[in-house]
């Protein structure tokens, strides 16, 4: 089955700097890659996703890139703000197979003011 | 509109007892998923329901775990003879099928087995 590895497990950045989180996946059939943000004690919330027919997607300060050949994808957060502090999870799934998400282990991001 | 809801929010049970966890998906969402999040860990897929199709149970960790979805809406996850390693947050998610793939998560049920 699918295996998703996520790095780093913790990331501390100064406010205004950029944060980058990287994930690799094992199943070449995976074609949907969402990123979830989970604040302490809250439910995971989708912040951005990308499908395998595109290489990059941006939404304001957040961008995701996908390299299908290397089977890795990354989340980029620019101009970080204290409210970006949270745990971020990457995931992968095969849309035609029910879209069951396989998650990475998570990255705890701390943005220091 | 209302999001995904789960009950109870917290459940403490003794080892060996059975527990039932409930999920109310977003109205109209035909896909429903259960995940488990152990302390400090990522989320682990458990089971998936889609319409009237047979559920995908490939993520259930043992035969002590079962789930059902009645009338294509509410779902219950049952854990029999609970063990301490079952302690985790159990999250339910629902989604539309087709153009909309986003899974919306519920607040979770924190299960503690003593």
């Amino acid at each position: 089955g699918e295996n998703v590895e996520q790095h780093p497990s913790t990331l501390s950045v100064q406010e205004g700097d950029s944060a980058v989180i990287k994930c690799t996946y094992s199943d070449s059939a995976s074609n949907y890659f969402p990123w979830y943000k989970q604040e302490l004690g809250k439910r995971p919330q989708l912040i951005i996703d990308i499908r395998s027919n595109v290489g990059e997607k941006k939404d304001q300060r957040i961008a995701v890139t996908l390299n299908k050949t290397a089977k890795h994808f990354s989340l980029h957060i620019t101009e970080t703000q204290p409210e970006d502090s949270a745990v971020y999870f990457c995931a992968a799934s095969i849309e035609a197979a029910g879209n069951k998400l396989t998650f990475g282990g998570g990255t705890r991001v701390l943005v220091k003011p | 509109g209302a999001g995904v809801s789960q009950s109870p929010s917290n459940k403490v049970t003794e080892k060996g007892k059975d527990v039932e966890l409930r999920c109310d998906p977003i109205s109209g969402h035909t896909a429903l998923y259960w995940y488990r999040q152990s302390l400090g860990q990522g989320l682990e897929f458990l089971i998936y329901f889609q319409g009237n199709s047979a559920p995908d149970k490939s993520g259930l960790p043992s035969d002590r775990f079962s789930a059902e979805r009645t009338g294509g809406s509410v779902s219950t996850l049952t854990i029999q003879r609970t063990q301490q390693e079952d302690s985790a947050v159990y999250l339910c998610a629902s989604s539309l099928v087709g153009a909309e793939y986003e899974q919306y998560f519920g607040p979770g049920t924190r299960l503690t087995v003593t």
Side-chain angles (χ1 to χ4, degrees):
Chain A
E2 176 67 282
N3 182 52
V4 177
E5 298 285 340
Q6 182 171 348
H7 299 282
S9 56
T10 60
L11 180 60
S12 182
V13 297
Q14 285 296 133
E15 181 178 359
D17 288 349
S18 294
V20 179
I21 304 170
K22 298 183 179 182
C23 290
T24 60
Y25 61 99
S26 61
D27 191 340
S28 57
S30 290
N31 56 3
Y32 176 63
F33 307 92
W35 287 86
Y36 283 84
K37 176 182 180 182
Q38 187 175 32
E39 297 177 1
L40 189 62
K42 302 284 185 64
R43 69 191 76 188
Q45 292 196 304
L46 181 73
I47 56 171
I48 195 168
D49 57 14
I50 190 167
R51 290 176 171 81
S52 59
N53 57 345
V54 297
E56 183 175 2
K57 184 176 179 180
K58 288 184 180 180
D59 183 3
Q60 299 182 347
R61 297 186 295 107
I62 293 172
V64 58
T65 59
L66 171 65
N67 183 326
K68 287 189 295 181
T69 302
K71 289 190 284 196
H72 66 70
F73 56 113
S74 301
L75 178 71
H76 304 252
I77 307 173
T78 59
E79 301 171 26
T80 53
Q81 300 168 4
E83 54 264 37
D84 294 330
S85 296
V87 179
Y88 292 80
F89 292 98
C90 63
S93 72
I94 303 171
E95 289 184 320
N99 213 24
K100 301 169 291 184
L101 297 174
T102 300
F103 285 85
T107 297
R108 184 174 300 278
V109 174
L110 175 62
V111 180
K112 294 188 274 189
Chain B
V4 178
S5 61
Q6 293 186 244
S7 61
S9 55
N10 280 284
K11 177 71 176 179
V12 181
T13 190
E14 292 180 353
K15 177 182 173 181
K17 295 287 181 67
D18 297 352
V19 294
E20 279 192 358
L21 313 178
R22 176 187 169 106
C23 171
D24 282 86
I26 293 172
S27 178
H29 281 193
T30 56
L32 186 148
Y33 307 80
W34 284 97
Y35 295 90
R36 177 169 70 174
Q37 185 171 29
S38 301
L39 185 62
Q41 302 293 312
L43 290 85
E44 171 191 12
F45 165 76
L46 297 177
I47 188 168
Y48 159 64
F49 295 90
Q50 166 47 31
N52 295 321
S53 302
D56 180 341
K57 306 178 183 180
S58 59
L60 295 179
S62 79
D63 58 8
R64 296 185 296 104
F65 287 71
S66 63
E68 63 178 21
R69 189 177 185 191
T70 54
S73 181
V74 172
S75 177
T76 55
L77 176 69
T78 301
I79 309 173
Q80 295 178 310
R81 305 181 302 282
T82 51
Q83 303 294 313
Q84 288 187 331
E85 60 263 29
D86 299 334
S87 296
V89 176
Y90 289 82
L91 289 155
C92 173
S94 72
S95 74
L96 294 168
V97 176
E100 294 287 341
Y101 284 102
E102 177 177 354
Q103 294 182 28
Y104 293 85
F105 282 83
T109 294
R110 181 175 298 278
L111 175 66
T112 303
V113 181
T114 61

